[in-house]
Amino acid sequence: MDDVIDLGEYGDAFRTDPHPVYAGLRERGPVHRIRPPGSTPDYWSWLVVGHEEVRAALADPRLSKDGRRIGMVFNDEQLIGRHLLGTDPPEHTRLRGLVSRAFTMRRVERLRPRVQEITDGLLDAMLPLGRADLVESLAYPLPITVICELLGVPEMDRAEFRKQSTEVVAPTSPENSYDAVLRLGEYLTELIEDKRRSGPGDDLLGDLIRTTAEDGDRLSPAELRGMAFLLLIAGHETTVNLITNAVHALLTHPDQLAALRADMSLVDSAVEETLRHEGPVANATFRYAAEPLEIAGTPIAQGDPVMIGLTAADRDEARYPDPHRFDIHRDTRGHVAFGHGIHFCVGAPLARLEARTALRSLLERAPALTLDGPPGEWLPGMLIRGLRSLPVRW
């Protein structure tokens, strides 16, 4: 199609810094037909890039997360099970209600001392070395330890789990991504069966196995596996990159780092500005038009795939003045880094807790923190926004 914008033509520049491309698209309008990098020549999707239009699209029930409504079944659903990111009401309402009974704000708040303890232990091991890759030493092990302890995943399994989950969110090939989903499905089936046999413990997965609604409803084995899959992957991959992106932004904006060091009460604001400026999820997972509709005057046909640009929306100059400037004093209200509407991220409170704890503890204990050479490459694909490595010294 002549009107399809091939984002692959921008090459590595788009992977390294997609924001100028999104800004150029916004100048031309809020909705575009695009081909993601690495896609086949006949593949395309709609991409929504304006802040106002993104918030409306995220809450539009005509844009379905359930592929069955347009006759599609996806790999993760076949191999793992149905979960929150692949369902619409009333199924989504039911699943979210059951998960919310176990994954409560009270449970997240109870994790605060443990999150601090894990962070302190990681810094105890890292700081005597004088230099490290922040991803390997802090940004990855903190959230993976927290979510695995929360769900009850044995420590010995975590290295293999990380490898497979990274392949799912930033695939190196369709074949490798399929294999990773398959392996994770097999692993989670065994884990859930082990918990059933030994008696569910007091971890979140045990609670999900036990959880029953007032009407006696509970998660099926496939739904349990799907929820565990979603919580494990979304519960650590995004937070790894939130922590990394926050440290990277501060170290490349010395004035903002100095402002935060002068007033550590701004740490919450620094996390929120990171979410707006370089959030860990670049684009929401696909939605599909369940019926013909219009977005900002652009007709969308039934069955069309729609990608909703979270980072594009959060740098919309119509919503945020001077949007490309990283400013921890900014009013970030209205950012869509965690989504909007019924699919708003269920793990947002935990991600915020971990990022705030990691950032405060790191800056307090490493007053001379600085970059130690160029960062690693940005992850491939249009889903996750994060660096493979971030060398630092102090």
Side-chain angles (χ1 to χ4, degrees):
M1 295 182 184
D2 295 336
D3 60 342
V4 176
I5 299 166
D6 188 349
L7 297 179
E9 292 181 355
Y10 291 96
D12 286 343
F14 179 75
R15 177 171 170 173
T16 301
D17 185 8
H19 301 295
V21 177
Y22 292 144
L25 292 176
R26 277 194 306 273
E27 287 178 8
R28 294 159 56 182
V31 185
H32 300 273
R33 201 192 302 253
I34 62 99
R35 182 177 300 115
S39 299
T40 57
D42 60 340
Y43 183 82
W44 61 270
S45 165
W46 293 105
L47 175 66
V48 186
V49 294
H51 185 273
E52 184 178 333
E53 294 78 13
V54 159
R55 280 181 70 88
L58 287 170
D60 193 330
R62 297 171 298 175
L63 292 175
S64 173
K65 302 286 278 184
D66 189 343
R68 296 177 308 178
R69 288 176 67 181
I70 57 162
M72 297 177 70
V73 180
F74 304 110
N75 280 343
D76 60 340
E77 189 176 307
Q78 286 183 306
L79 300 173
I80 300 283
R82 295 177 65 71
H83 52 71
L84 293 175
L85 281 184
T87 51
D88 297 333
E91 185 180 8
H92 176 274
T93 310
R94 170 185 162 264
L95 290 175
R96 185 147 183 151
L98 287 166
V99 171
S100 297
R101 285 173 167 269
F103 196 22
T104 60
M105 279 295 296
R106 183 179 302 158
R107 182 174 218 128
V108 171
E109 192 54 38
R110 284 206 315 264
L111 285 170
R112 186 180 296 275
R114 180 59 181 146
V115 170
Q116 186 65 61
E117 183 181 15
I118 295 166
T119 302
D120 291 342
L122 292 168
L123 291 175
D124 287 346
M126 178 181 114
L127 292 176
L129 304 175
R131 65 202 321 163
D133 171 11
L134 188 91
V135 177
E136 289 297 323
S137 297
L138 180 64
Y140 163 71
L142 172 59
I144 191 70
T145 302
V146 171
I147 200 67
C148 284
E149 286 187 0
L150 183 63
L151 279 165
V153 174
E155 187 171 353
M156 59 184 281
D157 297 338
R158 293 174 194 172
E160 179 64 17
F161 170 75
R162 181 203 184 179
K163 177 182 169 186
Q164 303 304 336
S165 68
T166 301
E167 185 61 45
V168 170
V169 300
T172 54
S173 75
E175 297 77 19
N176 289 342
S177 178
Y178 180 91
D179 288 344
V181 173
L182 183 64
R183 290 188 183 193
L184 284 171
E186 292 170 347
Y187 172 76
L188 290 170
T189 297
E190 290 180 17
L191 181 66
I192 290 166
E193 283 309 307
D194 284 348
K195 287 187 179 295
R196 285 192 191 279
R197 281 195 300 268
S198 59
D202 60 358
D203 52 64
L204 179 57
L205 196 50
D207 277 2
L208 288 173
I209 290 170
R210 280 189 299 264
T211 291
T212 306
E214 285 91 344
D215 61 0
D217 185 26
R218 58 198 309 169
L219 295 171
S220 71
E223 289 169 343
L224 264 173
R225 190 170 58 238
M227 297 310 269
F229 172 78
L230 179 62
L231 292 169
L232 274 167
I233 290 184
H236 90 274
E237 287 286 357
T238 52
T239 312
V240 172
N241 296 305
L242 173 55
I243 294 169
T244 305
N245 293 356
V247 175
H248 180 250
L250 287 165
L251 295 183
T252 51
H253 295 81
D255 59 324
Q256 298 304 301
L257 177 60
L260 179 54
R261 287 197 180 283
D263 181 3
M264 286 299 288
S265 71
L266 290 169
V267 70
D268 290 8
S269 300
V271 169
E272 295 306 309
E273 175 65 347
T274 301
L275 286 162
R276 183 206 68 83
H277 181 263
E278 201 75 273
V281 181
N283 298 279
T285 53
F286 279 111
R287 284 162 168 79
Y288 297 87
E291 60 186 76
L293 70 145
E294 285 192 358
I295 300 178
T298 300
I300 311 292
Q302 183 174 3
D304 281 359
V306 178
M307 188 183 292
I308 301 179
L310 305 182
T311 58
D314 283 338
R315 296 236 194 157
D316 186 345
E317 41 284 290
R319 177 64 181 83
Y320 298 104
D322 197 5
H324 301 297
R325 181 168 56 90
F326 181 72
D327 179 6
I328 65 172
H329 294 93
R330 182 191 298 275
D331 180 356
T332 58
R333 283 177 296 184
H335 77 67
V336 290
F338 288 123
H340 175 63
I342 64 168
H343 289 284
F344 185 84
C345 176
V346 72
L350 180 57
R352 284 178 161 126
L353 169 62
E354 291 174 5
R356 292 165 179 170
T357 304
L359 204 55
R360 177 189 294 275
S361 301
L362 175 66
L363 294 181
E364 285 177 347
R365 294 185 58 181
L369 187 73
T370 187
L371 291 173
D372 189 26
E377 65 179 5
W378 290 89
L379 292 166
M382 292 184 67
L383 176 61
I384 295 293
R385 181 78 183 142
L387 293 159
R388 288 204 186 276
S389 62
L390 185 64
V392 292
R393 57 186 169 84
W394 49 90

